[in-house]
Amino acid sequence: GGYPAPAPAPAGYHAPAPAPGGYPAHASGSYPAHAPGGYPAPAPSPGGYAAPGGYQGQPPSGYPGQAPVGYPGQAPGGYSAPTPGGYSAPTPGCYPVPGGYPAPAPAPLTSGSFQGRAPAPVSYPVAAAPPAAVAAANRSPAYAAPACSAPKAAPKVLKKKMLGTVTATSNFDPEVDCKGLKTAMKGWGTDENALIEILGARTTEERQKLKLTYKTMYGKDLESELKSEVSGKLKYAMRLLMMSAPCRDAYCLHEAVKGLGTDEAVLVEIMASRTNREIMCIKQAYAQMFNKHLEDALRSETSARFKKLLVALCQANRAEDAEVDDGKAALDAVTLRKAGEDKWGTDEADFLVLLCMRSLPQLALTFQHYERNSKHRTMEDAIKSEFSGDIQKGLCAIVEVAKNKQAYFAHRLYKSMKGLGTDDETLARIVTSRADVDMVQIKQQFHQKYNQSLGQFIYDDTSGDYRKLLMKLVGGTNTF
């Protein structure tokens, strides 16, 4: 009562041997067994992919003549290697070929299915590799590996290794140092030389360990002990010296905005010269030390365009990648000219966006393009012609830092000691904050710009124990 048996195979045709592990014989009453010599093996499909799926011996499903769509055939247990002419290996720098997840484990055999026999492995005939043009035409546009070449690498700015005049102490022993400090402050009088020799030769990180060890050993705060033992300019310099870098900057910013008046130069120096990470740490330290957000303090103590500049810098949103883009630098230079010298008035927004968000190496390259095609000799001159007051000083500071940060600090040190009197707060702040960071390069820039060693300049402009501490931190009167 079933279907009639199919017609016998043509004469001369030899039936292929049945695939191992196929279906078991049909039970009686079901469909009759297929006549030997079933369908002939399907012809290889164009495009290099294996024949479409289905168990061996069955006719291929789908419309005839249509190239298969999707992934190549899978070997049991995961995806098989692509056949020749299929997907090519991804080009470095491109997205990988879709996929990557392992094939799910086969479901366990249950009673009634194949009577406990393992399913036959599915094998596909291997198609001959087609010509490259045909293979390329038959790849799925959605999943084919992108035929892109590795992007041209942007030029990198080689960063010179910055060196401090104060370096990490070999065989550093905080307990020995703390005993020496305790002896120097014991009894009547204070041995300032001993304090300077120990503290002036330790890095900021090592001094923080000394503070912790001293309190552990003697139950007293080292900073408070020093505050009661020294006085005058030495006391101020020692106080800055013993702080961590974020706390030192937060303290100096707070001193610049508290009370009547604001020291805008301090705000500009710190906010324009610190990295994103350093600014974030300063903001955290400021909130902990003074129970107020740094941005709120800057907003309340500054005004107009200068406030916008400081708030923008406070976001710590400057790009910090090492690569520079010459094309972008040329376009930015045009933007600055159009925002300034090429128009009536000044579009300050373009200046703020570029100077507060581009990386320092990128800005330096932009300034080169600007100065090459500008009526002004330098970028600083261009800013001075467009801005005035505190915003002018702030933007010029960013330009100087972008061109050469160490030259900027050398200039600040020179101005703190030039002429009558000395700006000891600026001198102590820069020396204590840069001694273990980049003081070697600052000294080199100082000598190059002013033909005199920084140490000698400090020696001639200061005196007493205060001079001894600063000289210890900058490494004496030698040029480098």
Side-chain angles (χ1 to χ4, degrees):
Y3 291 99
Y13 178 80
H14 298 284
Y23 291 105
H26 292 290
S28 59
S30 179
Y31 296 107
H34 293 292
Y39 293 100
S45 58
Y49 295 111
Y55 292 98
Q56 188 168 354
Q58 288 185 325
S61 60
Y63 295 102
Q66 191 174 19
V69 179
Y71 296 97
Q74 294 174 310
Y79 295 120
S80 62
T83 58
Y87 293 106
S88 58
T91 307
C94 299
Y95 292 105
V97 176
Y101 291 104
L109 296 176
T110 57
S111 59
S113 63
F114 304 116
Q115 300 297 322
R117 296 171 60 184
V122 180
S123 61
Y124 296 98
V126 178
V134 176
N138 282 302
R139 289 196 182 104
S140 169
Y143 295 104
C148 63
S149 58
K152 184 178 180 181
K156 290 188 177 181
V157 177
L158 296 178
K159 290 186 177 181
K160 295 181 180 179
K161 184 178 181 181
M162 297 295 109
L163 299 173
T165 46
V166 176
T167 57
T169 308
S170 59
N171 302 320
F172 173 60
D173 190 336
E175 293 184 25
V176 173
D177 282 353
C178 287
K179 290 177 182 178
L181 293 171
K182 184 66 174 177
T183 301
M185 295 183 287
K186 187 178 180 180
W188 291 100
T190 303
D191 187 352
E192 286 86 356
N193 288 331
L195 297 179
I196 293 170
E197 285 299 315
I198 295 174
L199 298 176
R202 302 293 179 263
T203 64
T204 299
E205 182 180 356
E206 290 171 345
R207 288 190 292 269
Q208 305 317 299
K209 293 180 181 178
L210 288 180
K211 288 161 59 176
L212 179 63
T213 304
Y214 192 93
K215 195 162 191 176
T216 303
M217 294 175 66
Y218 304 110
K220 295 182 179 181
D221 184 71
L222 178 56
E223 289 181 275
S224 300
E225 292 277 275
L226 292 170
K227 186 177 178 180
S228 65
E229 294 292 334
V230 296
S231 59
K233 298 173 184 177
L234 177 63
K235 180 178 180 179
Y236 179 75
M238 279 285 190
R239 182 172 188 178
L240 295 182
L241 191 67
M242 296 306 298
M243 293 181 180
S244 65
C247 290
R248 183 191 301 119
D249 286 341
Y251 171 77
C252 292
L253 289 170
H254 180 70
E255 290 294 302
V257 298
K258 78 173 186 178
L260 295 176
T262 303
D263 191 342
E264 290 83 2
V266 176
L267 304 182
V268 168
E269 176 195 305
I270 294 176
M271 298 303 296
S273 64
R274 296 325 191 238
T275 65
N276 291 344
R277 182 177 180 275
E278 288 169 345
I279 291 175
M280 296 302 293
C281 291
I282 292 169
K283 290 165 66 175
Q284 183 178 5
Y286 194 97
Q288 293 175 348
M289 295 171 68
F290 307 110
N291 197 30
K292 187 176 183 178
H293 293 295
L294 175 60
E295 184 176 327
D296 293 340
L298 296 175
R299 286 180 180 274
S300 64
E301 296 298 328
T302 57
S303 60
R305 295 183 294 180
F306 185 53
K307 178 197 294 185
K308 293 181 181 179
L309 173 63
L310 293 178
V311 170
L313 293 173
C314 195
Q315 305 314 303
N317 193 33
R318 183 182 299 284
E320 293 186 325
D321 47 310
E323 292 81 10
V324 292
D325 188 329
D326 190 71
K328 179 187 287 187
L331 292 175
D332 286 348
V334 172
T335 300
L336 291 176
R337 283 199 302 275
K338 289 182 178 179
E341 63 181 87
D342 288 351
K343 68 175 296 184
W344 180 261
T346 304
D347 187 349
E348 66 182 46
D350 285 338
F351 277 86
L352 291 180
V353 168
L354 294 180
L355 269 65
C356 294
M357 295 187 66
R358 297 288 188 265
S359 70
L360 296 181
Q362 184 69 29
L363 281 179
L365 186 58
T366 299
F367 300 151
Q368 291 178 20
H369 281 280
Y370 188 98
E371 293 166 359
R372 194 178 302 142
N373 301 290
S374 172
K375 63 183 181 182
H376 299 289
R377 189 175 64 87
T378 65
M379 190 69 213
E380 293 91 322
D381 292 337
I383 289 175
K384 290 175 183 177
S385 70
E386 299 292 334
F387 298 89
S388 61
D390 295 326
I391 181 69
Q392 177 197 104
K393 296 175 183 177
L395 294 176
C396 284
I398 295 175
V399 173
E400 291 183 57
V401 169
K403 288 182 175 180
N404 191 321
K405 183 185 290 190
Q406 288 68 44
Y408 168 74
F409 284 120
H411 178 62
R412 292 282 295 157
L413 288 169
Y414 178 78
K415 289 182 63 176
S416 73
M417 296 178 282
K418 180 186 177 182
L420 296 176
T422 304
D423 182 355
D424 290 295
E425 290 186 359
T426 298
L427 176 59
R429 179 179 62 253
I430 295 178
V431 170
T432 55
S433 64
R434 313 308 297 186
D436 56 355
V437 179
D438 54 2
M439 185 56 73
V440 170
Q441 284 72 29
I442 292 173
K443 290 173 67 177
Q444 292 172 352
Q445 291 296 324
F446 193 96
H447 184 267
Q448 181 178 330
K449 290 170 68 71
Y450 307 111
N451 198 30
Q452 188 174 355
S453 74
L454 174 61
Q456 188 63 52
F457 220 75
I458 293 174
Y459 186 89
D460 294 340
D461 218 60
T462 57
S463 61
D465 294 323
Y466 173 58
R467 175 168 65 186
K468 292 178 183 178
L469 176 60
L470 296 182
M471 295 297 291
K472 182 73 174 177
L473 292 172
V474 302
T477 59
N478 61 308
T479 304
F480 305 113

